[in-house]
Amino acid sequence: MDKLSVMNAFCRIVERGSFARAADDLGVSPALLSREVKLLEESLGASLLSRSTRSMALTESGRVFYDEALRIVSAVGQVEDRIRKGAGEVGGHLKINAPSSFGQTAIAPLLPGFLRAHPKLRLTLSLDDRVVDMIEGGFDLSIRIRPTMPDSTLIARKIGIVRQRIFASPDYAARNGTPERPEALASHPIIGFLLADHLTQWSLIGPGGVIDMTLDPAVRVGNSLVLRDLLVAGEGIGTLPDFISRAEEAKGTLVRVLPDYELPAPSIFAVTGSRVGLEARASAFIDHLRDGLQRGHS
């Protein structure tokens, strides 16, 4: 059991007054937090929380543990803050894994500024659309885009969301027209992303709620940038994440199809192996990426 991790989680549970709210803050499930607290109580031989279906309160032992845990977690946080704030002092070797298209379009433009801010840092960026075992691969940080993160020993921090909309080129629209309602998509050539959850099953969120449909993409590709290029070339209709579509919309090479509808927005998670504190280099990169993503959406 990672005691510092559990201390951090326990403090968050007490402060938020709820396993569910604390779990949402930490990017894990309430069930996982409940198991961790139960293991903690078993290791201490004492009950820390008095729980019922409607309320939760600290026991006497829980109050003692909370006060000491808060002091320790705060001290660790202060040390980390001092390290992070030392501009140019972040060093060592940072190994990052990220999806290919996200790495090329969202991360790559932010790297020069990050590297200039931290000249003592060595960086390895590996781009792979497969979900890799970051511990086995020796990665300090993995960027993952998905609806939710499963329970694991990893800690996932949500740093943004991805809007997914439907696009075609102006040339395609001029030659073939575009559907005026979701059901009409089936009469158009669809270009699909092989690794997407919505390759053939689309759930479109629109003014009237959610419309579920089954589509059979005529062309299926394993890279979002190839999909983008096919759409720009006028080969059909498909969905793109906003970190790819934004530039094409601005240039006018792609236009939205069914602009009142979009697919569910997955989250961008920064995943690390520690549940307590981050190495300064990983924390610095997460902050830099989060800020860059926010600027991109502003």
Side-chain angles (χ1 to χ4, degrees):
M1 180 189 301
D2 184 336
K3 286 293 180 66
L4 279 173
S5 167
V6 176
M7 285 181 182
N8 183 55
F10 185 78
C11 290
R12 190 67 61 91
I13 292 166
V14 174
E15 290 158 3
R16 297 287 276 155
S18 162
F19 277 79
R21 288 191 289 269
D24 186 59
D25 288 349
L26 296 170
V28 299
S29 75
L32 180 61
L33 284 191
S34 181
R35 288 196 298 270
E36 288 191 341
V37 171
K38 183 178 180 181
L39 289 173
L40 174 64
E41 290 176 325
E42 290 175 354
S43 72
L44 296 172
S47 175
L48 302 179
L49 292 171
S50 176
R51 285 173 276 179
S52 69
T53 55
R54 294 186 177 182
S55 64
M56 179 184 74
L58 283 169
T59 64
E60 184 176 348
S61 296
R63 170 58 62 183
V64 172
F65 185 84
Y66 171 72
D67 289 342
E68 290 302 313
L70 184 61
R71 179 183 62 80
I72 293 170
V73 170
S74 297
V76 171
Q78 289 170 10
V79 172
E80 292 174 344
D81 287 342
R82 286 201 300 271
I83 295 173
R84 291 172 193 163
K85 290 176 181 177
E89 295 179 5
V90 174
H93 188 184
L94 176 61
K95 295 185 66 177
I96 305 170
N97 165 261
S100 295
S101 58
F102 184 79
Q104 293 177 66
T105 57
I107 294 178
L110 300 174
L111 287 181
F114 179 69
L115 294 173
R116 283 194 296 269
H118 306 292
K120 296 181 180 179
L121 187 72
R122 296 175 59 212
L123 177 72
T124 296
L125 175 62
S126 174
L127 302 181
D128 195 329
D129 285 322
R130 300 171 302 161
V131 177
V132 302
D133 185 327
M134 60 175 295
I135 304 302
E136 182 178 332
F139 293 105
D140 303 295
L141 174 65
S142 181
I143 304 299
R144 299 181 183 175
I145 301 175
R146 53 193 306 165
T148 60
M149 286 295 297
D151 291 341
S152 74
T153 57
L154 303 174
I155 182 69
R157 293 165 174 79
K158 181 178 175 180
I159 60 173
I161 63 169
V162 174
R163 305 289 293 275
Q164 299 190 105
R165 301 181 176 98
I166 311 168
F167 293 92
S169 71
D171 178 62
Y172 177 90
R175 288 186 289 109
N176 304 283
T178 55
E180 296 184 358
R181 63 185 192 282
E183 294 78 7
L185 282 166
S187 63
H188 290 263
I190 302 298
I191 304 175
F193 180 42
L194 276 173
L195 303 179
D197 294 333
H198 61 273
L199 175 62
T200 59
Q201 303 295 321
W202 288 20
S203 295
L204 297 181
I205 304 170
V210 178
I211 297 177
D212 294 316
M213 61 181 56
T214 300
L215 296 170
D216 182 18
V219 178
R220 307 177 183 202
V221 297
N223 183 283
S224 294
L225 298 181
V226 174
L227 195 157
R228 174 203 62 191
D229 292 345
L230 289 170
L231 293 179
V232 169
E235 295 301 314
I237 293 174
T239 66
L240 286 175
D242 55 8
F243 57 83
I244 293 178
S245 64
R246 191 179 297 115
E248 302 305 327
E249 274 197 278
K251 292 187 294 185
T253 54
L254 287 178
V255 294
R256 292 189 194 180
V257 175
L258 296 169
D260 292 332
Y261 293 86
E262 61 184 80
L263 281 85
S267 298
I268 305 170
F269 292 100
V271 183
T272 62
S274 171
R275 305 186 73 83
V276 186
L278 290 175
E279 291 289 343
R281 53 185 179 268
S283 180
F285 183 80
I286 291 173
D287 291 343
H288 186 79
L289 177 58
R290 181 192 291 113
D291 291 346
L293 293 174
Q294 290 173 351
R295 289 195 302 271
H297 284 274
S298 62

